[in-house]
Amino acid sequence: MNLHDFALYLFAMAGVTYLIRAIPFVLLKKQLKSEFWNSFLAYIPYTVLAAMTVPAIFFATNNRISGIAAFIAAVTASILGRGLVVVAC
């Protein structure tokens, strides 16, 4: 890959990343009054964290049984009301 292509890809990725973060601020200038959208937007960070973490649990070791055991332990800790740091550990 030459420098021109690299710079083009870099600026395209930076632009997409900026737009994804800037568009909600432009479109949502005032406070949302819909309880549905407030609760929906409140759960997005947890959804993204789960989407990144759960597959990593199963592929972190070569043994699938240990991944399943770690997943069960994390879900159990979460159900018991432990904090995010405890569940992640």
Side-chain angles (χ1 to χ4, degrees), residues 43-63:
Y43 283 112
I44 287 179
Y46 299 108
T47 306
V48 171
L49 181 64
M52 293 187 311
T53 306
V54 170
I57 291 172
F58 294 112
F59 297 109
T61 64
N62 290 332
N63 188 354

Side-chain angles (χ1 to χ4, degrees), residues 57-58 63-76:
I57 291 172
F58 294 112
N63 188 354
R64 192 63 53 111
I65 306 265
S66 65
I68 293 169
F71 180 74
I72 291 171
V75 169
T76 303

Side-chain angles (χ1 to χ4, degrees), residues 6-62:
F6 177 75
L8 183 67
Y9 294 144
L10 180 69
F11 288 126
M13 287 187 298
V16 168
T17 302
Y18 176 76
L19 286 176
I20 288 172
R21 294 172 187 235
I23 287 175
F25 288 113
V26 171
L27 296 178
L28 303 173
K29 292 182 181 178
K30 57 185 174 182
Q31 180 71 24
L32 289 176
K33 295 184 180 175
S34 171
E35 187 175 329
F36 170 77
W37 286 112
N38 280 334
S39 62
F40 176 78
L41 293 173
Y43 283 112
I44 287 179
Y46 299 108
T47 306
V48 171
L49 181 64
M52 293 187 311
T53 306
V54 170
I57 291 172
F58 294 112
F59 297 109
T61 64
N62 290 332

Side-chain angles (χ1 to χ4, degrees), residues 1-10:
M1 177 183 303
N2 60 27
L3 185 60
H4 180 269
D5 290 341
F6 177 75
L8 183 67
Y9 294 144
L10 180 69

